[in-house]
Each structure stands twice: as structure tokens, then as C-alpha cells.
């Protein structure tokens, strides 16, 4: 048990006093759970929470080398530790105690990482402060021992005989596909992820992602299960299908939580967890509640009640989001770092309103009712016909639900080809994704009245992302073909095959002259949609795009 203020630990001395780089509050005579404290075994700092959890942190690398809960070791698969990225390597590691908190501090170049244990708790609190790109992506991986938990849910993967893409997408013998990328969940959809078996639950409770990138709808790695064990992820920045520049600074806390099998306490969830006990720990980049502000909106008018609405704040330094109340659009975003932000209102995942808002430290910015102009929602335009609806997602299209947790070649997917007739279940029949090498040239059949055929019309195709600059070129009745549109800005990595349709929503518009239509109202007009691009390879890695909605305006 640590006792004196200056405690020798191997070749370094940890000073338990206020100041930069040290635990920021002096030792107090706080009552602790029996056994609470830390020791140094020469290789690791050993921390006993005084509850049922004992953890070890490497003195040389800052890796988490052991997680013993109720006497059972849960850490480790494939001989690997739990750590930032795939391990930081040689780092400066120190430890200190402040009252009911033990803090382990890890410095690796410009990156700083922290573990905190609280007396009587079965939780490990983590913070990561990334200052630059010297560590490329930023993720923490809890590597769980083989056999601790069994899992074969869609957001897991198992090693299988056939690798169908890169080295991270597998096909099982039944034709189903698995990948660690297939989370099936947007970041706003979960507070925690993990497993429960045999009266033990092991969970990763995510941070509020204020310094992450990609916004509320971003999908990334959550967990995986393999022959060697399992992994729980907290993704702080990831480059796959990323729509924003990387943000830097302190992220956390995120929490490794053990339970007796149930879900972790909701008090740990992002947006709920407050850590006044961490205010004086000296964590680099830490901003207490007193240094943060709040944005409150009294309501949002002009909403479509069929859809949920989300309000987001974003600037180069931070991001936040929250749901608007269904009844009136009221929203509240708290714990916001001071600064000027772009406020965006999303209908589903489609931005329908933006404005600028300033958030002062320690204050609340109150916004009057936000009125969404009718013209900002493309669904309000009068259409002769429409496939899908404008909500920023491929929801309702063929295979759309499956694609957030499976590869397009999965045996459960319906055929990606097949033509569509307006008035005959066109949305469910139209594929959510189009590829140059898979289903380019899909045909849409529709009739026009004589009056409609006598006029020019605007055709709109909304997309949510694109791979390899894939974009639609259209032909009407084999007599009129549009120009090849310029490609919009989209992520430059895999998207459609790694479980994400989320990119930058974009609308292509085509002015179709009256001369292109068939004048006989009994005849079908035929729209052909081709995917064009000079990039991409073959198959499902050829140029492609995800569809939000298609309509012909009146």
C-alpha cells in the first residue's frame, strides 16, 4: 500500500502533489475500500481497486497487461496486451494516488494517456490526449482472453476459410460474411459495447467523442471475436470512410467496466458521467464542467414527424450532438467546450438547416425556435414519382438494412440486379448501392401523362457516399443522355464494403428536355442509370455509390 508522499518505484520517484505531470491533489485521509492501493512488481504497476478488480499497467510501455476480476484473468489474446493502437512501445510511465483515485500517466512522444482507478469500483477510467499525427489513428483495444465470452453476432467476426477482401473480411461456410468493421451501429446509437456470460459482464463505455471525427452517424469498429479471443474498441479517430479532418486534444473518460453480468451503470454513460473527482488530477488538456458551456433550443418548426431529428455542433476543435424532442424539437447540448460552432439540424441523416452559434464557458446559449425553410427539405418538392425519401440514408432500399453488418456478396443479400417499375414497390426493388462493375445500367420504367410529357422536368438523384468517384449518368429512352457530372467530395477509403453508407450527402440534378419523353401515355418511359468513373477496380471494389432518393419533379 502506498503511504509516504514521495514513494520510490524502481528507478523513478512519483511525487504525489499538485503540479504539472503529477497527481494534482495532495494525499487525504479518505476512507478506502479494503485492499485499495498500488504496488510495483518491477515490470508493472499493480492497482487493486479494493472491490473485485486488480489491474496491471506496464512500467515500460503503458500497456494494460492484466485485468483480473473476481480472481479470473480476462486480459490478453494472442499474447498481446490491451493498449492504444497496436501498442505505443517505449513510454514514460508514472503512478500516483490522490485520495480515492489512483492515476497512471503514460507519455509517448506528444501523446499522453491515462488510467484511473477509484476505490471500491470495478471500473478503469481512461483518457487519451493526442496532439498530432505522430500516432496515426487513435483507438484503444481491450484484448479479451480466448474463451472468456462466446459471441457470433453480426458485429463480430470469426476467422474463416475464405478471405474475400483485404485481410479483414471473411466468408463463413454458410455464405455469411464477417468483419470487425461491421458494427451495424452509428456512434450515437450506443453507450457501451461488450459481452456478458457466466455472471460476468465486460464492457467498454464510450467517451462523448468530442475530439473524434465523423459526427453522430459515423460507424466504426466496436468489437470482434476471433479464434484467439475478443476485442473491445474505443475509436477516437479512424480513417476508414472519414468525412472530417482529424481533431486533436484530450478525449475521455471512456471506461472499461466489469459487472455481475448486467449492463454497466448508466452513470458511466457519455453525457451522464461527470468526473469532479478528476478535476484536480493534472490530466493534460482536461477541462472541468466550470470551463464548459451549454446550448439549449426551445424548439424546431418545419419538421417532418415521420423522422427523428438530430442537432449537431462542430468546429475544427470539437463536435457534439443530441436528439431533438419528437413533440416540439426541443434540444439541449451540455458540456460544450467554449467556441464558435456550426449548428446543423439533421432530418434523419440529411442536413436541413445550418447556422453559427457561440458557446461561452460557464454559460448557456439559448436559441429561439429554429424554423426549417420548406425549400431546405427536398421531400417538400412536388414530384411525379419518387423512389425512397430524402433522409440522408438508403433506408428502405433493397439490401439497405443488411449492408451495415455484412459484405455485399453475403448470401443473405438479394440480387443486386433487376429493373424497377414505378408503382410496383419501387423502393424495396431498387438496390441501395450501385457499382460500375456489378449493376450499372439499372432501368426504371414509368409512365407520364400527355401534359407531363409535354414539359421538361428535373430528375434528382441523391447519394450518401461514393467509392472511387462513382457517380450516376442517366439516359432517357435511349435518346437523351446527360453529361457526366463532376464527382463530389467523398471519403477516399472503402465504404460500401465495410459496413458504411455514410459520406457527404450530395444531390445530382439533370434537366431532361421535353423531347426526351414518350408522348403516348400508355407507353413506359425508360430511365437508365449508369455508374461512371475512371477509378476503382472490379466487382464490389469498382466505383460505386449509395442512394438516398431518386425523383422526377413535377
Amino acid at each position: 500500500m502506498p503511504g509516504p508522499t514521495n514513494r520510490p518505484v524502481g528507478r523513478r520517484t512519483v511525487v504525489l502533489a499538485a503540479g504539472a505531470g503529477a497527481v494534482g491533489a495532495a494525499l487525504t485521509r479518505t476512507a478506502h475500500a479494503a485492499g485499495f492501493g498500488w504496488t510495483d512488481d518491477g515490470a508493472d504497476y499493480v492497482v487493486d481497486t479494493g472491490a473485485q478488480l486488480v489491474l496491471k499497467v506496464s512500467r515500460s510501455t503503458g500497456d494494460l497487461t492484466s485485468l483480473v476480476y473476481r480472481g479470473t484473468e480476462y486480459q490478453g489474446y494472442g499474447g498481446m496486451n490491451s493498449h492504444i493502437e497496436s501498442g505505443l512501445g517505449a513510454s514514460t510511465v508514472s503512478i500516483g494516488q490522490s485520495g480515492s483515485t489512483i492515476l497512471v500517466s503514460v507519455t509517448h512522444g506528444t501523446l499522453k494517456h491515462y488510467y484511473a482507478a477509484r476505490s471500491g469500483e470495478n471500473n478503469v477510467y481512461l483518457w487519451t490526449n493526442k496532439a498530432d499525427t505522430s500516432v496515426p489513428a487513435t483507438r484503444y483495444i481491450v484484448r479479451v482472453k480466448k474463451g472468456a465470452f462466446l459471441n457470433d453476432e453480426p458485429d463480430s467476426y470469426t476467422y474463416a476459410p475464405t478471405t474475400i477482401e483485404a485481410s479483414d473480411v471473411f466468408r463463413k461456410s454458410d455464405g455469411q460474411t464477417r468483419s470487425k468493421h461491421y458494427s451495424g451501429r452509428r456512434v450515437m446509437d450506443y453507450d457501451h459495447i461488450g459481452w456478458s456470460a457466466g455472471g460476468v459482464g465486460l464492457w467498454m463505455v464510450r467517451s462523448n467523442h468530442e475530439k473524434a471525427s465523423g459526427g453522430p452517424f459515423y460507424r466504426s469498429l466496436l468489437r470482434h471475436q476471433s479464434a484467439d479471443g475478443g476485442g473491445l474498441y474505443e475509436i477516437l479517430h479512424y480513417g476508414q470512410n472519414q468525412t472530417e479532418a482529424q481533431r486533436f486534444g484530450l478525449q475521455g473518460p471512456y471506461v472499461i467496466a466489469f459487472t455481475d453480468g448486467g449492463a454497466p451503470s448508466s452513470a458511466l454513460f457519455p453525457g451522464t458521467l461527470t468526473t469532479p473527482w478528476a478535476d484536480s488530477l493534472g490530466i493534460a488538456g482536461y477541462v472541468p464542467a466550470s470551463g464548459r458551456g451549454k446550448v439549449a433550443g426551445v424548439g424546431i418548426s418545419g419538421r417532418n414527424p415521420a423522422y427523428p431529428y438530430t442537432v449537431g455542433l462542430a468546429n475544427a476543435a470539437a463536435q457534439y450532438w443530441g436528439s431533438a424532442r419528437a413533440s416540439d424539437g426541443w434540444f439541449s447540448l451540455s458540456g460544450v467546450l467554449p467556441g464558435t460552432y456550426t449548428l446543423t439540424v439533421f432530418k434523419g441523416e440529411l442536413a436541413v438547416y445550418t447556422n453559427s452559434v457561440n458557446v461561452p464557458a460557464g454559460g448557456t446559449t439559448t436559441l429561439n425556435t429554429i424554423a426549417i425553410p420548406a425549400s431546405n427539405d427536398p421531400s417538400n418538392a412536388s414530384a411525379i414519382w419518387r423512389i425512397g425519401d430524402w433522409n440522408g440514408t438508403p433506408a428502405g432500399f433493397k439490401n439497405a438494412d443488411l449492408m451495415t453488418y455484412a459484405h455485399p456478396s453475403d448470401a443473405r443479400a438479394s440480387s443486386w440486379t433487376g429493373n424497377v417499375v414505378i408503382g410496383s414497390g419501387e423502393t424495396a426493388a431498387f438496390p441501395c448501392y450501385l457499382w460500375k462493375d456489378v449493376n450499372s445500367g439499372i432501368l426504371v420504367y414509368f409512365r407520364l401523362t400527355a401534359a407531363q410529357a409535354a414539359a421538361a422536368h428535373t430528375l434528382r438523384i441523391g447519394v450518401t457516399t461514393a467509392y472511387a468517384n462513382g457517380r450516376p449518368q442517366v439516359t432517357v429512352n435511349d435518346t437523351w443522355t446527360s453529361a457526366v457530372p463532376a464527382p463530389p467530395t467523398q471519403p477516399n477509403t472503402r465504404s460500401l464494403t465495410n459496413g458504411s453508407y455514410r459520406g457527404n450527402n450530395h444531390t445530382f440534378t439533370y434537366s431532361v428536355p421535353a423531347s426526351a419523353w414518350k408522348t403516348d401515355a400508355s407507353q413506359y418511359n425508360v430511365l437508365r442509370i449508369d455508374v461512371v468513373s475512371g477509378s476503382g477496380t472490379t466487382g464490389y471494389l469498382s466505383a460505386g455509390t449509395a442512394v438516398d432518393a431518386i425523383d422526377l419533379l413535377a
Side-chain angles (χ1 to χ4, degrees):
M1 290 287 294
T5 301
N6 294 317
R7 178 180 178 87
V9 285
R11 292 176 291 175
R12 53 170 72 87
T13 297
V14 179
V15 181
L16 301 181
V23 177
L27 281 171
T28 62
R29 295 183 179 275
T30 304
H32 302 302
F36 176 69
W38 63 272
T39 57
D40 176 3
D41 67 7
D44 300 292
Y45 293 124
V46 184
V47 179
D48 190 332
T49 68
Q52 298 172 301
L53 177 63
V54 178
L55 59 130
K56 294 182 179 181
V57 179
S58 169
R59 288 181 52 203
S60 60
T61 65
D63 287 359
L64 189 63
T65 62
S66 176
L67 279 171
V68 175
Y69 177 65
R70 298 195 324 204
T72 298
E73 177 68 76
Y74 285 89
Q75 200 296 126
Y77 72 75
M80 294 180 283
N81 298 323
S82 299
H83 39 53
I84 291 289
E85 281 297 276
S86 298
L88 295 173
S91 303
T92 300
V93 186
S94 60
I95 191 169
Q97 181 177 335
S98 174
S100 299
T101 305
I102 295 171
L103 184 72
V104 179
S105 303
V106 181
T107 301
H108 179 82
T110 61
L111 185 142
K112 296 182 183 297
H113 180 70
Y114 304 90
Y115 302 90
R118 298 275 289 162
S119 177
E121 295 187 17
N122 294 313
N123 304 317
V124 184
Y125 300 85
L126 302 94
W127 290 263
T128 303
N129 190 326
K130 180 178 177 179
D132 52 41
T133 58
S134 56
V135 175
T138 311
R139 61 184 180 182
Y140 194 91
I141 309 174
V142 180
R143 300 191 183 274
V144 183
K145 196 172 183 178
K146 177 183 179 181
F149 302 98
L150 297 177
N151 182 59
D152 192 31
E153 296 183 7
D155 60 350
S156 298
Y157 81 91
T158 53
Y159 294 141
T162 305
T163 301
I164 59 176
E165 186 174 304
S167 59
D168 56 8
V169 182
F170 301 89
R171 178 178 288 115
K172 298 172 62 177
S173 59
D174 61 2
Q176 293 190 13
T177 55
R178 294 290 188 269
S179 174
K180 61 185 179 182
H181 296 288
Y182 298 156
S183 70
R185 300 185 191 182
R186 307 169 302 176
V187 67
M188 68 177 294
D189 295 332
Y190 72 96
D191 295 307
H192 63 282
I193 194 74
W195 296 288
S196 178
V200 174
L202 173 55
W203 313 97
M204 175 69 84
V205 181
R206 71 167 176 86
S207 68
N208 69 352
H209 281 217
E210 71 180 1
K211 296 289 186 178
S213 299
F217 314 123
Y218 189 65
R219 284 181 166 86
S220 193
L221 290 69
L222 295 181
R223 62 181 174 180
H224 75 262
Q225 191 83 7
S226 72
D228 297 326
L232 298 179
Y233 296 85
E234 165 70 341
I235 300 296
L236 303 175
H237 178 77
Y238 201 58
Q240 285 281 338
N241 206 38
Q242 185 56 253
T243 58
E244 292 185 298
Q246 186 169 180
R247 294 181 172 93
F248 300 105
L250 184 70
Q251 299 202 70
Y254 49 106
V255 188
I256 302 168
F258 281 91
T259 69
D260 291 337
S265 168
S266 60
L268 301 177
F269 293 171
T272 303
L273 177 63
T274 56
T275 51
W277 52 264
D279 289 358
S280 58
L281 292 179
I283 294 173
Y286 184 92
V287 179
S290 60
R292 296 171 176 270
K294 180 179 179 179
V295 176
V298 300
I300 303 172
S301 65
R303 292 173 296 115
N304 182 334
Y307 292 96
Y309 282 71
T310 301
V311 179
L313 298 177
N315 62 19
Q319 62 172 6
Y320 306 91
W321 60 81
S323 297
R325 192 161 61 191
S327 60
D328 56 9
W330 175 91
F331 62 91
S332 179
L333 306 176
S334 59
V336 178
L337 292 172
T340 300
Y341 293 85
T342 297
L343 181 149
T344 304
V345 177
F346 298 92
K347 169 198 172 187
E349 297 184 17
L350 183 68
V352 292
Y353 176 89
T354 61
N355 207 341
S356 180
V357 60
N358 183 64
V359 184
T364 297
T365 300
T366 302
L367 303 177
N368 294 325
T369 297
I370 293 173
I372 301 173
S375 59
N376 284 19
D377 185 345
S379 297
N380 291 329
S382 178
I384 297 171
W385 54 259
R386 178 171 291 144
I387 304 174
D389 196 11
W390 297 88
N391 60 14
T393 82
F397 285 86
K398 183 166 63 174
N399 294 326
D401 290 344
L402 180 65
M403 286 301 96
T404 60
Y405 60 89
H407 191 270
S409 65
D410 194 286
R412 293 166 290 179
S414 300
S415 172
W416 288 103
T417 58
N419 300 323
V420 175
V421 179
I422 298 297
S424 300
E426 58 271 13
T427 299
F430 198 100
C432 64
Y433 298 163
L434 300 173
W435 290 272
K436 184 178 180 180
D437 200 37
V438 175
N439 56 353
S440 181
I442 191 168
L443 302 180
V444 179
Y445 292 85
F446 59 96
R447 290 189 175 99
L448 297 176
T449 66
Q452 291 167 341
H457 295 283
T458 296
L459 175 75
R460 302 187 301 184
I461 299 179
V463 302
T464 67
T465 194
Y467 175 69
N469 287 332
R471 64 266 196 204
Q473 183 182 31
V474 300
T475 299
V476 176
N477 294 323
D478 288 329
T479 61
W480 179 88
T481 299
S482 72
V484 176
T489 299
Q490 298 289 1
N492 58 5
T493 62
R494 288 182 298 168
S495 54
L496 308 182
T497 61
N498 72 355
S500 179
Y501 58 77
R502 177 78 264 129
N504 294 311
N505 288 100
H506 182 80
T507 301
F508 296 94
T509 60
Y510 310 85
S511 298
V512 185
S515 59
W517 310 122
K518 292 184 178 180
T519 56
D520 185 344
S522 67
Q523 291 184 316
Y524 278 110
N525 288 270
V526 183
L527 168 70
R528 189 177 79 236
I529 304 175
D530 293 297
V531 177
V532 294
S533 176
S535 304
T537 57
T538 60
Y540 298 107
L541 288 178
S542 63
T545 193
V547 182
D548 177 13
I550 305 172
D551 58 20
L552 185 67
L553 299 186

